[in-house]
Amino acid sequence: MNQNMAAAMELRCWGGDWGLPSVHTESLIVLAYTKFSGAKVAVSPIDWTWKTITVTVPELLCGDTAVQEPTQILNFLRKQRFNADYELTARQGADTMAYIALLEEKLRPALLHTFWVDAENYSNLTRPWFASRSPFPLNFLVPGRLASGALSRILLTTGEAPLHRISEVEGKIYSDAKECLNLLSYRLGTANFFFGNSPTSLDAFVFGFLAPLHKASLPSSPLQSHLRQLDNLTGFCDNILAVYFSSDHLCKIAAQAGPLPPVQETMDANLQKLTQLVNKESNLIEKMDDNLRSSPQHKPHRPEPKPSLSSAKSSTPA
């Protein structure tokens, strides 16, 4: 029954560009998780349709059920036994929730600002892209509506009153985001994924947040410049794109890949403070959620094993 349901699943999302399967963070999270868990979904981009204004994406359709928001969609997929987190310990499950909360609080406001509020990026990249993917006359309406929603979300996340000028919180937004990127880089180290040798929901979330920032041709972005200094995070995105979304180019990319880049080995005071904050939240989640692993879990469907970039590289003839 579950397999039949899975065969009928449809995912509505924004389409791809910049070398990405979607330019939209939430859509990317779900697309990556379906690959990691082996869920078969028919991807239906909303580009050039009236759904650009009538549908909130990503949206997963399965029979009479419609699910929105990445967290809810991932929960739905787990119930269908597509569970990329099946082998995580309770502590790793708590860490996952804590790091996702960190991404939402510390990184998302700066990403929204970069794409939707920064005047140069919005007028030269974001607005033209979304206008060109929306049918007339929605091309005049969709970008502005999305920009307005992004601004509201920034002010809500940063806890500022809606009447505050965005310029008053810009500095804090970007310093928080850079610290968050530093912590993610430190936590990933030289590994391909955040927990062991297989990607999980945390990898899907980090990929969804970082890949557009990594790949977009932004005319103005100190945050993008900062990310590009963290070679293990950009390599993490490239690895997922190569292994899960671009198998035709895997050998070519693997052949070009160099040794794993050096990563920061010591913590500065800010990194230490942020690590303590995440650990504290993870401890709290683990204590509060006694049912995290005690609820019965069905053995998940197993996706076809994918080679990591490093293993593909080692098997590539010189």
Side-chain angles (χ1 to χ4, degrees), residues 3-75:
Q3 287 178 322
N4 291 335
M5 290 180 73
M9 290 191 291
E10 176 189 352
L11 180 67
R12 291 173 173 170
C13 61
W14 279 105
D17 202 355
W18 318 333
L20 300 174
S22 174
V23 303
H24 182 239
T25 285
E26 284 85 352
S27 298
L28 271 181
I29 292 168
V30 177
L31 285 167
Y33 187 85
T34 62
K35 296 286 189 181
F36 299 164
S37 63
K40 306 295 184 202
V41 298
V43 178
S44 300
I46 62 169
D47 306 33
W48 303 295
T49 73
W50 283 83
K51 294 187 184 75
T52 53
I53 206 161
T54 60
V55 171
T56 300
V57 293
E59 181 178 59
L60 186 72
L61 304 175
C62 184
D64 296 329
T65 304
V67 191
Q68 296 172 339
E69 299 289 332
T71 302
Q72 298 304 319
I73 293 173
L74 267 56
N75 285 340

Side-chain angles (χ1 to χ4, degrees), residues 114-152:
T114 295
F115 283 92
W116 293 102
V117 181
D118 181 288
E120 198 175 349
N121 293 335
Y122 179 66
S123 60
N124 289 295
L125 178 74
T126 316
R127 183 176 62 191
W129 194 93
F130 282 90
S132 72
R133 298 297 180 109
S134 305
F136 178 85
L138 298 185
N139 53 314
F140 296 106
L141 184 60
V142 169
R145 176 179 279 203
L146 292 172
S148 176
L151 183 57
S152 298

Side-chain angles (χ1 to χ4, degrees), residues 178 181-182 185-186 213-214 221-235 261-264:
K178 287 175 182 178
L181 290 176
N182 290 344
S185 176
Y186 184 86
L213 183 65
H214 173 36
S221 182
L223 191 61
Q224 185 179 65
S225 302
H226 188 80
L227 173 61
R228 286 178 175 172
Q229 293 170 26
L230 303 171
D231 290 344
N232 64 332
L233 291 183
T234 57
V263 296
Q264 184 175 347

